[in-house]
Amino acid sequence: MGYEHIRVESKGRVGVITLDRPQALNALCTPLIDEVNQALTQFEGDDKIGCIVLTGSEKAFAAGADIKEMSELTYMDAYLGDFITKWEQVSRTRKPIIAAVAGYALGGGCELAMMCDFIIAADNAKFGQPEITLGVMPGAGGTQRLTRLVGKSKAMDLCLTGRMMDAEEAERSGLVARVVPADDLMTEALKAADKIAGFSLPIAMMTKESVNRSYETTLTEGLRFERRVFHSMFATEDQKEGMAAFVEKRKPQFSNK
Ligand code: CAA
């Protein structure tokens, strides 16, 4: 399939989506989001893909929603069009998805990265929610996901001042899982994705579902959900294989069943 604003490739069992709109620092215009969603649908439906990596360029993961596209919207355009709903396909992706972030991840760029399961950042990454400088506030999770990840104080600091934080501060704050040298970003992201894709896909998907549940519910309900899903894993062939392989001191051969 031909894409205009992204590049899509498979590397073994890893599907890679690269935002590729350099003239606008990967600003997230609607056609770009439509293409990301098409690529996600393609990878979700492909048995050969076990993990997805979403990345940008060395200069920008994404510099936010497309300001030029948004600037003339009326309230009714925004309300009835509800363009951000389209972005949420990333957060609904059932297969594991890693954001590999170099350069700017601002506004909607930071929000898009937070919709992924975890963020691996290059040491040149810069995160921020500068919407307040444009006379708006974050609209794709910046006041919600960011607050859960970094806590109220830092989220307030970022959303109210619009300042950027570097990769080191982002890791210290819990936004980023790990920071790697910029030159190694894709190698490290692919290594992590490859590792995940080498495990049982249904088990990885259920694990992701269970971790995500912790954001949606109370501890008691979350623990109950986790226990039920854990029990259900004993109905899989991969549980039998994984544990048998340990006992027999060999590598497991997961069948994704
Ligand atoms: N939307 C549209 N175009 C953008 C853009 C964006 N978010 N960010 C950058 N661009 C464009 C610029 O307009 C410029 O295009 P032209 O060459 O045609 O003028 C090109 O990308 C390069 O940008 P700069 O010349 O500004 O590059 P720089 O290196 O000097 O600065 C930057 C980089 C600090 C990231 C700066 O581009 C910037 O501040 N961008 C805007 C960041 C921002 O405010 N993001 C939040 C958007 S709102 C949002 O995301 C709402 C939401 O929650 C959903």
Side-chain angles (χ1 to χ4, degrees), residues 6 15 52-54 106 132-133 165 231 235 241:
I6 63 173
I52 300 164
V53 174
L54 180 63
L106 301 178
I132 198 162
T133 67
M165 67 176 168
H231 291 158
E241 169 61 11

Side-chain angles (χ1 to χ4, degrees), residues 23-25 27 59 63 65-68 106-108 111 130-131 134 138-139:
Q23 69 282 12
L25 299 180
K59 182 160 186 205
D66 191 313
I67 299 166
K68 292 167 190 168
L106 301 178
E111 293 168 307
E131 288 87 346
L134 301 166

Side-chain angles (χ1 to χ4, degrees), residues 60-221:
F61 176 74
D66 191 313
I67 299 166
K68 292 167 190 168
E69 195 180 73
M70 280 184 301
S71 62
E72 297 298 325
L73 291 186
T74 63
Y75 171 51
M76 276 306 125
D77 292 334
Y79 179 74
L80 293 175
D82 197 16
F83 66 98
I84 288 170
T85 292
K86 287 188 169 190
W87 300 28
E88 287 166 356
Q89 187 168 337
V90 178
S91 61
R92 287 196 303 270
T93 300
R94 296 180 74 210
K95 290 181 179 174
I97 176 164
I98 300 172
V101 174
Y104 297 112
L106 301 178
C110 185
E111 293 168 307
L112 191 71
M114 289 190 288
M115 288 180 199
C116 298
D117 296 325
F118 63 94
I119 300 173
I120 300 182
D123 53 13
N124 73 345
K126 286 197 185 310
F127 298 87
Q129 299 291 163
E131 288 87 346
I132 198 162
T133 67
L134 301 166
V136 289
M137 70 175 199
T143 67
Q144 303 300 303
R145 289 195 179 90
L146 184 67
T147 307
R148 286 163 196 238
L149 289 169
V150 305
K152 175 183 161 187
S153 189
K154 180 111 22 204
M156 285 286 193
D157 177 1
L158 291 163
C159 292
L160 289 176
T161 68
R163 77 173 175 90
M164 296 184 208
M165 67 176 168
D166 63 19
E168 195 267 323
E169 183 182 357
E171 185 184 30
R172 193 163 15 100
S173 314
L175 173 61
V176 157
R178 23 179 150 149
V179 179
V180 299
D183 286 347
D184 302 339
L185 178 66
M186 279 316 281
T187 310
E188 292 298 325
L190 287 170
K191 209 191 286 176
D194 212 44
K195 179 147 203 177
I196 293 167
F199 296 130
S200 163
L201 177 61
I203 298 296
M205 288 169 65
M206 289 181 210
T207 304
K208 162 173 175 161
E209 202 181 343
S210 194
V211 174
N212 278 336
R213 188 52 76 100
S214 72
Y215 279 101
E216 309 283 348
T217 191
T218 62
L219 180 60
T220 306
E221 281 307 315

Side-chain angles (χ1 to χ4, degrees), residues 41-69:
T41 302
Q42 180 194 323
F43 285 144
E44 287 265 75
D46 185 345
D47 291 345
K48 294 186 291 303
I49 296 297
C51 189
I52 300 164
V53 174
L54 180 63
T55 193
S57 71
E58 280 167 32
K59 182 160 186 205
F61 176 74
D66 191 313
I67 299 166
K68 292 167 190 168
E69 195 180 73

